[in-house]
Amino acid sequence: MPVIECDVDAAREKLVEAGVEVSAGNSDHEEWRADYGDANAVAYDDKVVIQGANPQDIETLLREEGGHAYLYFDGASRGNPGPASVGWVIVTSDGIAAEGGETIGRATNNQAEYEALIRVLRAARDYGFDSVEVKGDSELIVKQVTGAWNTNDPELRERRVTVRELLADFDDWELSHVPREINERADKLANEALDDA
């Protein structure tokens, strides 16, 4: 649940300019409320608290654009192919900026890994980050995206193209393979999504 410390009047103005409907607060402590996409925000004296399925829908409108982020991704499949899910985390110098985990239907593990990478890149793009360091525990995905290995599977090749297009949206990017222990949070989110399905 993102919390943005800010001038709440200026934040309200930003949201209104972006076409977001802002209403009065529900209590004496609330300055105002806003709903946009799959997110809602409540303003208090000097902060805005954002909740909902996709808090980035509002957070991207309020945060200053730019900056650097570390992205972590992981995909999971039980059966390979079988029920599959993704997990991803965006981390900045302030801590976790956003994270997500959800099922994606039936897929192979490699398809799920690519889907997780696509989701975290889209989220980072939507947040407006200029540069990203992307980390995942799938050596195959990292090597295919960076061009070290060929992508023979047509479905994976299509996803590789999508990833390369998304990476082109950033001024600077780096993609590296990390041990599973470094990618623990994204792995946990992917597995929790499958457990909860």
Side-chain angles (χ1 to χ4, degrees):
M1 173 172 51
V3 176
I4 301 174
E5 293 185 17
C6 62
D7 175 339
V8 296
D9 293 328
R12 178 188 182 124
E13 195 172 301
K14 271 187 184 180
L15 292 176
V16 169
E17 286 174 8
V20 176
E21 188 173 324
V22 179
S23 59
N26 289 341
S27 73
D28 293 340
H29 302 289
E30 296 178 4
E31 300 284 328
W32 50 261
R33 293 181 151 261
D35 292 302
Y36 185 68
D38 286 334
N40 56 64
V42 178
Y44 298 95
D45 287 334
D46 58 354
K47 65 185 171 192
V48 177
V49 178
I50 306 169
Q51 299 176 325
N54 291 307
Q56 68 266 21
D57 289 351
I58 289 178
E59 189 174 7
T60 55
L61 299 172
L62 296 180
R63 287 215 188 265
E64 297 298 321
E65 286 199 16
H68 183 76
Y70 300 89
L71 315 182
Y72 297 86
F73 70 95
D74 196 31
S77 175
R78 296 193 179 148
N80 202 26
S85 64
V86 298
W88 56 268
V89 184
I90 299 175
V91 180
T92 67
S93 58
D94 295 328
I96 294 175
E99 61 183 16
E102 62 188 297
T103 57
I104 58 168
R106 186 174 170 79
T108 67
N109 193 64
N110 291 334
Q111 290 167 340
E113 292 279 358
Y114 264 110
E115 188 59 33
L117 177 53
I118 289 167
R119 302 239 177 145
V120 75
L121 289 171
R122 284 182 176 148
R125 178 199 61 198
D126 292 347
Y127 269 91
F129 291 108
D130 296 323
S131 64
V132 292
E133 286 181 51
V134 188
K135 302 172 186 299
D137 58 29
S138 171
E139 185 176 13
L140 178 105
I141 303 307
V142 171
K143 297 279 189 179
Q144 286 182 345
V145 171
T146 58
W149 292 354
N150 289 330
T151 310
N152 298 322
D153 181 291
E155 253 187 77
L156 296 185
R157 193 176 311 123
E158 186 177 313
R159 289 182 174 152
R160 178 185 174 273
V161 168
T162 300
V163 166
R164 294 296 299 201
E165 289 171 349
L166 288 165
L167 287 169
D169 290 338
F170 299 99
D171 294 341
D172 190 33
W173 61 269
E174 180 182 315
L175 175 62
S176 58
H177 174 253
V178 295
R180 186 177 303 268
E181 305 81 58
I182 303 295
N183 204 34
E184 185 177 357
R185 181 71 185 150
D187 178 73
K188 181 180 179 187
L189 290 167
N191 282 298
E192 283 177 351
L194 278 177
D195 292 342
D196 294 344

